[in-house]
Structure formats: structure tokens, C-alpha cells
Amino acid sequence: AARSLARHRGGINVSRMLKPRDRAPDFVRADHRGQTIDTAALRAIGPIVVYFYPRDFSLGCTKEACLFRDAFDDLHGSGATIVGVSVDDDASHARFAERYRLPFSLVSDPDRALARSFGITRGFGLLGARRVTFVIDRDGSVHTALHSETSMSAHVDAVRAALGVLARP
């Protein structure tokens, strides 16, 4: 039992979560506006930030989304595409994006297939994904993988740092 608990942190089996240098799964999904998000095509433009969050409108998720919104010009100016992912449906995402003026795409993952492909479903895959942010480089490798349930600003800070490194020649 101790060995099993050691492999889990905050309900995530960390041995399965993608780590830096792992190949990130490409996906094609419609966002909350009906626009196609094709990560393979987007990587040709620049890095991709995929952040998983539990629910639209919850206190922590709203704070995190607004932090990404407030940093959007800087992050997007670094060539990054930001994609938020949760189990909520497109209608909820549309209300969430409108209410908080979110300028980036929100993607629905109701069957948690994306969360599973990134290795971040909660224990036994029964609940939604946790709060994890990935920065994926142009080659499709995970550059940064951050799991923090309580520090919403840590996600944006990690993205800023990663984009600073990726921008260097």
C-alpha cells in the first residue's frame, strides 16, 4: 500500500502523467466557438499551452482562467497558443469565456479521453482531470508539466518561464 501511495500525488498517478521530454498526444477537437483546434497544425506556429482544470465557474478555475487571460497578450506574443480543457460542455465553456472575457480556446473533454492521454485522470479515472498545465514545444515534446491544485499563479509563472526558454535561439 505504501508503494501505491508513493506513486500518487493529489489523486494523480504521477508515474503515468506526461513528463518533460515525453511525446505529447496530438488532438483535433472543436473549441467552445466551434473552431477546430488541431495541435499538430498549431505546433507549426509555436508552442502550445494545454491546461486542464476541473470545472468552469468554480473559484480556483475562474482565478486560473483569469490569470491566463491577464497574461494572454504576453503569452500569445511569445507565439504560444493557449487551450483550456475540462469536462464541461461547449455551452458551459461559452458562458464561462463570455463572462470572464477569455480570449483563448476552451475544449470539452466529457469522456476524459484527453486527460487520460496526458496521464492525469484522478484515481481510477472516475473523476475529471486535475489542475495540470503542459507546455508543448514545436516538436511535440512536453517541455513543462506542472501539477498544482492550490497555486493558480504557479501555472502562469511556469508557462512564462517555459516560453522564455523556448524563445532562446
Side-chain angles (χ1 to χ4, degrees):
R3 183 175 160 196
S4 172
L5 289 175
R7 292 180 26 203
H8 287 75
R9 182 181 65 207
I12 294 178
N13 182 340
V14 293
S15 66
R16 293 183 54 221
M17 185 173 115
L18 294 182
K19 297 174 274 316
R21 294 187 298 280
D22 285 346
R23 180 82 180 159
D26 284 322
F27 60 89
V28 177
R29 296 272 177 113
D31 73 1
H32 68 284
R33 297 171 289 219
Q35 296 178 348
T36 300
I37 302 300
D38 179 342
T39 57
L42 289 170
R43 283 192 290 102
I45 300 166
I48 302 171
V49 176
V50 179
Y51 84 94
F52 289 86
Y53 64 99
R55 286 281 184 197
D56 292 341
F57 298 103
S58 67
L59 184 62
C61 297
T62 299
K63 181 177 180 181
E64 183 180 24
C66 289
L67 287 166
F68 273 112
R69 175 202 63 205
D70 296 346
F72 181 79
D73 288 341
D74 290 338
L75 303 179
H76 191 67
S78 297
T81 299
I82 301 169
V83 180
V85 181
S86 81
V87 298
D88 296 296
D89 63 24
D90 290 333
S92 177
H93 284 334
R95 288 189 306 275
F96 188 53
E98 181 179 351
R99 181 167 182 189
Y100 294 103
R101 301 177 327 277
L102 305 179
F104 48 84
S105 293
L106 300 176
V107 171
S108 182
D109 187 27
D111 60 358
R112 297 164 186 87
L114 284 178
R116 278 193 303 278
S117 71
F118 280 81
I120 60 165
T121 54
R122 292 184 189 186
F124 305 107
L126 298 175
L127 302 172
R130 290 292 190 114
R131 191 177 316 283
V132 181
T133 298
F134 295 93
V135 178
I136 303 163
D137 66 23
R138 293 179 72 154
D139 295 327
S141 296
V142 173
H143 180 274
T144 301
L146 174 75
H147 170 227
S148 177
E149 296 295 327
T150 57
S151 178
M152 301 346 147
S153 62
H155 292 266
V156 174
D157 293 343
V159 169
R160 283 183 197 273
L163 294 177
V165 169
L166 291 172
R168 292 185 196 141

